[in-house]
Amino acid sequence: WDAAGYLLYCPCMGRFGNQAEHFLGALAFARALNRTLAVPPWIEYRHHRPPYTNLHVPYAEHFRLEPLLQYHRVISLEDFMEKLAPVHWPPGKRVAYCFEAAAQRSADKSSCPMKDGNPFGPFWDQFQVNFDKSELFKGISFSSAYKDHWIQRFSPSEHPVLALPGAPAQFPVLEEHRPLHKYIVWADEMVKKGEAYIHSLLVRPYVGIHLRIGSDWKNACNMLKDGTAGPHFMASPQCVGYDRSAAVPLTMDMCLPDLKEIKRALKLWVKKTEAKSVYIATDSEPYTTEIQQFFQGKIKVVSLQPEVPQIDLYVLGQSDHFIGNCVSSFTAFVKRERDVHGKPSSFFGMDHPPRLRDEF
């Protein structure tokens, strides 16, 4: 049991890419407060195939827990619930912590909405957790500037387990937390699977691309067209720059590249890297045939569309050059991993992204 306290949260915003950005922020927040982070499972939304409910995938199924310890103390939430909670955080002593504004949504206006709706309810239900009382706060944020406020307001002796309804972090990930991605290390099993696909399907050098072009994305990018979204839109700071005042314009080619832009970028980078194959990860249409014809069959074009999206992330991460979608947090995961390992990346609509602080 860690006398310095624990931090628990539900990764309740968005799919994997967003959850990963929140995870980096939560890791930094746990270290700032010097609490052990209970690393939650990833939430996978299975709306289209059985069991049609959320899957909760332990962190360690995709990544190794040990490397996180080089940065800060962690325990998997599964281990925390099984080994520590029965004695140190038993039913009856489970306090929820949230902003006053969030508690306004509850019936009595003073309870944290820890389990309201999906994915909040199912997340805590997997551990049979119900909350007994709520502690509300306001006037502070999860930024490191408030570190001392948190420590004074919620001392570990009085508040051993800080359980939050969502991640104590921002989306997109703060620029200074990007380098923490070096502690996100693929599990051996994922490396084995990913490498097997690369060796059997691809010929090096290969260019990896991420096409985010599904209908939900088209709707999102239309907000750029009609001016409701500015240059800072979802994960776009990774390519327009984090400084709002100096951000470069976000174009439709960056948000929703058409086949013409996809071909243009591919032609450039396939030539530069003398690539023999192209790997396509996509949320909808892979354009495999069109791209194969475009290269007159001289380049092998592969799209796996795996059940497990992390396979795509792994293969993109290992490519000789990566072209991503600057607005997507799925691309952002790959870009951070490649930045950490000094591998080159670009974006559709932007062949030479700015250098971010974590690359210096």
Side-chain angles (χ1 to χ4, degrees):
W1 180 255
D2 181 357
Y6 291 80
L7 178 68
L8 277 56
Y9 75 94
C10 171
C12 280
M13 189 200 79
R15 293 187 305 183
F16 178 79
N18 293 25
Q19 293 175 39
E21 306 227 352
H22 268 165
F23 173 68
L24 294 175
L27 195 56
F29 186 70
R31 178 160 137 167
L33 269 52
N34 192 28
R35 287 174 174 267
T36 293
L37 179 65
V39 177
W42 306 105
I43 301 177
E44 265 181 40
Y45 296 98
R46 290 286 180 105
H47 302 319
H48 309 299
R49 55 181 188 272
Y52 304 113
T53 51
N54 304 348
L55 281 187
H56 298 104
V57 181
Y59 181 87
E61 227 169 271
H62 297 321
F63 308 100
R64 295 173 49 205
L65 270 170
E66 307 79 57
L68 297 173
L69 296 169
Q70 294 164 28
Y71 177 72
H72 189 60
R73 305 182 308 282
V74 297
I75 181 174
S76 72
L77 183 52
E78 291 80 1
D79 273 0
F80 176 85
M81 289 309 305
E82 187 195 332
K83 297 173 183 158
L84 300 176
V87 175
H88 300 279
W89 197 56
K93 290 215 160 141
R94 294 175 174 175
V95 184
Y97 296 81
C98 69
F99 285 103
E100 263 180 29
Q104 287 297 312
R105 296 202 296 272
S106 65
D108 63 3
K109 301 223 183 302
S110 61
S111 307
C112 293
M114 295 297 279
K115 297 180 69 174
D116 286 7
N118 188 16
F120 303 88
F123 179 81
W124 293 109
D125 282 342
Q126 69 179 310
F127 299 110
Q128 288 91 49
V129 168
N130 289 302
F131 292 92
D132 306 297
K133 60 179 270 214
S134 295
E135 283 270 356
L136 313 183
F137 49 81
K138 66 171 181 191
I140 49 177
S141 80
F142 300 123
S143 123
S144 54
Y146 288 97
K147 174 181 131 173
D148 296 335
H149 290 71
W150 282 100
I151 293 166
Q152 281 156 13
R153 172 92 166 71
F154 300 116
S155 68
S157 54
E158 300 286 303
H159 304 271
V161 179
L162 208 52
L164 300 163
Q170 277 180 296
F171 177 81
V173 66
L174 292 174
E175 189 169 16
E176 62 259 35
H177 296 155
R178 290 172 50 91
L180 300 185
H181 201 103
K182 72 172 178 210
Y183 302 109
I184 298 188
V185 179
W186 291 105
D188 299 347
E189 199 46 44
M190 290 296 295
V191 174
K192 216 158 72 188
K193 273 186 206 157
E195 289 299 325
Y197 282 124
I198 292 170
H199 292 303
S200 61
L201 299 171
L202 294 159
V203 189
R204 282 198 186 273
Y206 74 92
V207 172
I209 69 172
H210 174 218
L211 300 183
R212 184 77 167 88
I213 47 182
S215 54
D216 67 318
W217 199 252
K218 286 193 177 102
N219 296 337
C221 293
N222 279 333
M223 293 170 68
L224 277 183
K225 258 193 190 150
D226 66 22
T228 43
H232 274 192
F233 186 41
M234 294 191 269
S236 75
Q238 65 175 331
C239 71
V240 300
Y242 271 82
D243 178 354
R244 274 176 195 270
S245 58
V248 302
L250 185 59
T251 63
M252 273 310 268
D253 272 349
M254 290 151 90
C255 195
L256 193 73
D258 55 11
L259 193 51
K260 185 175 154 218
E261 167 57 19
I262 294 165
K263 287 176 176 173
R264 183 205 65 78
L266 264 175
K267 184 181 175 184
L268 173 74
W269 293 107
V270 162
K271 193 176 166 190
K272 275 196 177 178
T273 54
E274 299 180 356
K276 304 274 189 293
S277 52
V278 169
Y279 182 83
I280 303 167
T282 180
D283 61 334
S284 68
E285 175 52 54
Y287 288 134
T288 318
T289 328
E290 290 86 340
I291 291 166
Q292 233 151 4
Q293 287 166 349
F294 176 65
F295 288 110
Q296 299 159 331
K298 295 188 185 114
I299 299 284
K300 187 174 187 192
V301 181
V302 177
S303 183
L304 261 182
Q305 304 197 263
E307 283 263 301
V308 178
Q310 284 75 16
I311 293 289
D312 270 342
L313 291 171
Y314 181 85
V315 178
L316 292 174
Q318 297 301 315
S319 62
D320 296 278
H321 185 85
F322 167 62
I323 314 170
N325 181 311
C326 138
V327 183
S328 156
S329 62
F330 193 83
T331 276
F333 184 97
V334 180
K335 174 73 162 60
R336 286 192 306 270
E337 180 181 292
R338 294 179 67 85
D339 287 352
V340 160
H341 296 116
K343 292 178 177 165
S345 307
S346 61
F347 300 103
F348 290 109
M350 183 184 268
D351 295 325
H352 300 286
R355 297 198 63 158
L356 293 162
R357 273 200 305 230
D358 56 334
E359 295 173 66
F360 294 127

